[in-house]
């Protein structure tokens, strides 16, 4: 099993973290987005949408979209509930992540950390703050009620949201007033097989 | 089972269409986004993220995010594959829909159809065209190879992408050059229990 990605990307790190927690052996192949490597004919053959991460399963089988990949890899483990409603709740949080969290927090981080907050993108960076805080408030509200996003068990919903939330500071988001989120981040960081972003 | 939504919203229509195909009885409660009804305390109690659709299952149980809802409702039917990799492929297309398709095609349609393409949003409307066509090309490429997005069977991936693709024209997207998409739209429209958006 091969993973094409960049560990500095939260979407890719989700797979790295999950693979660590579940002891999944894999080969990591670094792909540089800024270097244009996701737009080559060879890469587009793996994912026509030109995005990392991509999981290569052999036999010409590829899977893209980070949350689809972690759910696939976690199937049959304690990190993915079998009960249909609980599994749907995992997906609810993951779709929330991709639509209401990532486009604000990850994009603000990308502009600040990887592009160095250039003047021509400052307005866009600032426009991301409100939506990012709205997403954080939704998470905070849930995590005040349950230790993990879908209840009492760590799941791939938490892996999905952890990825960019734990580095939200790099996008200008101060988490100190989000006490339940801070405690949840620490809970995940203390998992025995936790793997840090690097 | 109650569904809170607006059938003119593609995200809500996914549930309407799926419920039709699967003969799922439900009560539909109209919620007006433009009328502010997704931001009332009562609605935020159902979905703290303030978005439709929301599925109410009784006993204070709610599920939001359209694709999570249709996957939940389709569990155990022919529209949701049991094989983990095939199910992951369904999710791959649904995350693609929420990240790479909806923010372009649905938003362009919203600006044109519901806001009447006001001058102050024309630049945003035009900026959505390129991303929308990129998403359509990704779909076209797949549908040239297989009759449905994940292979030979209709699934909730198709329901998810059908919702906004079949009204993409309302967002300024001319589909006539996407022959495989046009054929796929017609294939879905001809399903015996098909329900039109209304």
């Amino acid at each position: 099993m091969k993973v094409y990605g960049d560990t500095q990307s939260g979407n890719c790190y989700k797979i790295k973290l999950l693979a660590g927690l579940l002891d999944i052996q894999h080969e990591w192949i670094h792909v540089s987005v800024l270097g244009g490597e996701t737009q080559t004919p060879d890469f587009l053959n793996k994912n026509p949408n030109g995005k990392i991460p991509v999981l290569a399963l052999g036999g010409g089988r590829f899977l893209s979209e980070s949350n689809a990949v972690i759910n696939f890899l976690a199937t049959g483990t304690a990190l993915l509930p079998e009960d249909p409603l609980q599994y749907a709740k995992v997906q609810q949080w993951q779709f929330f992540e991709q639509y209401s969290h990532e486009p604000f927090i990850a994009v603000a981080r990308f502009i600040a950390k990887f592009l160095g907050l250039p003047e021509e993108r400052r307005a866009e960076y600032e426009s991301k703050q409100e939506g990012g805080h709205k997403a954080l408030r939704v998470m905070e509200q849930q995590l005040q009620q349950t230790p993990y996003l879908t209840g009492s068990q760590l799941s791939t919903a938490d892996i999905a949201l952890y990825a960019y939330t734990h580095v939200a500071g790099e996008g200008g988001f101060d988490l100190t007033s989000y006490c339940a989120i801070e405690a949840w981040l620490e809970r995940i960081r203390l998992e025995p097989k936790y793997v840090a972003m690097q």
Side-chain angles (χ1 to χ4, degrees), chain A:
Chain A
M1 174 183 127
K2 293 179 185 175
V3 181
Y4 294 83
D6 178 342
T7 49
Q8 286 292 305
S9 143
N11 283 326
C12 298
Y13 168 64
K14 294 172 192 173
I15 302 179
K16 199 80 191 164
L17 176 54
L18 184 90
L21 295 176
L22 294 176
D23 283 324
I24 297 174
Q25 300 299 312
H26 61 282
E27 181 185 349
W28 192 275
I29 297 153
H30 182 76
V31 176
S32 165
V33 174
L34 291 176
E37 293 175 10
T38 55
Q39 304 305 315
T40 64
D42 185 52
F43 188 84
L44 291 171
N45 226 18
K46 297 178 176 67
N47 178 8
N49 201 29
K51 291 184 191 294
I52 50 173
V54 171
L55 178 71
L57 292 159
R61 294 172 308 159
F62 298 100
L63 187 63
S64 57
E65 297 292 336
S66 58
N67 294 328
V69 170
I70 61 173
N71 288 347
F72 172 67
L73 294 175
T75 303
T77 77
L79 294 180
L80 196 75
E82 280 184 27
D83 173 72
L85 183 56
Q86 276 300 103
Y87 190 1
K89 279 277 169 192
V90 168
Q91 293 181 43
Q92 173 192 296
W93 280 106
Q94 292 175 330
F95 284 111
F96 162 85
E97 191 261 338
Q98 286 289 289
Y99 197 86
S100 300
H101 183 287
E102 206 265 16
F104 301 97
I105 294 176
V107 173
R109 173 180 178 255
F110 180 80
I111 294 171
K113 184 181 169 85
F114 297 101
L115 303 183
L117 194 46
E119 207 42 47
E120 69 271 22
R121 293 195 69 172
R122 180 172 288 274
E124 183 188 357
Y125 169 83
E126 284 170 1
S127 77
K128 298 294 181 186
Q129 301 296 313
E130 185 184 336
H133 280 292
K134 184 183 168 215
L136 293 168
R137 284 195 299 274
V138 171
M139 291 174 68
E140 177 74 9
Q141 189 178 330
Q142 180 62 47
L143 292 168
Q144 284 172 350
Q145 299 168 54
T146 53
Y148 297 102
L149 289 167
T150 59
S152 58
Q153 297 291 322
L154 179 70
S155 77
T156 52
D158 302 288
I159 310 287
L161 268 307
Y162 180 83
Y164 285 109
T165 304
H166 90 294
V167 290
E170 296 175 354
F173 298 92
D174 180 1
L175 297 182
T176 47
S177 65
Y178 298 99
C179 303
I181 290 178
E182 291 270 32
W184 167 79
L185 291 174
E186 185 65 6
R187 216 168 285 137
I188 294 172
R189 214 162 16 229
L190 291 174
E191 282 287 321
K193 295 178 180 171
Y194 176 79
V195 178
M197 185 182 256
Q198 49 191 333

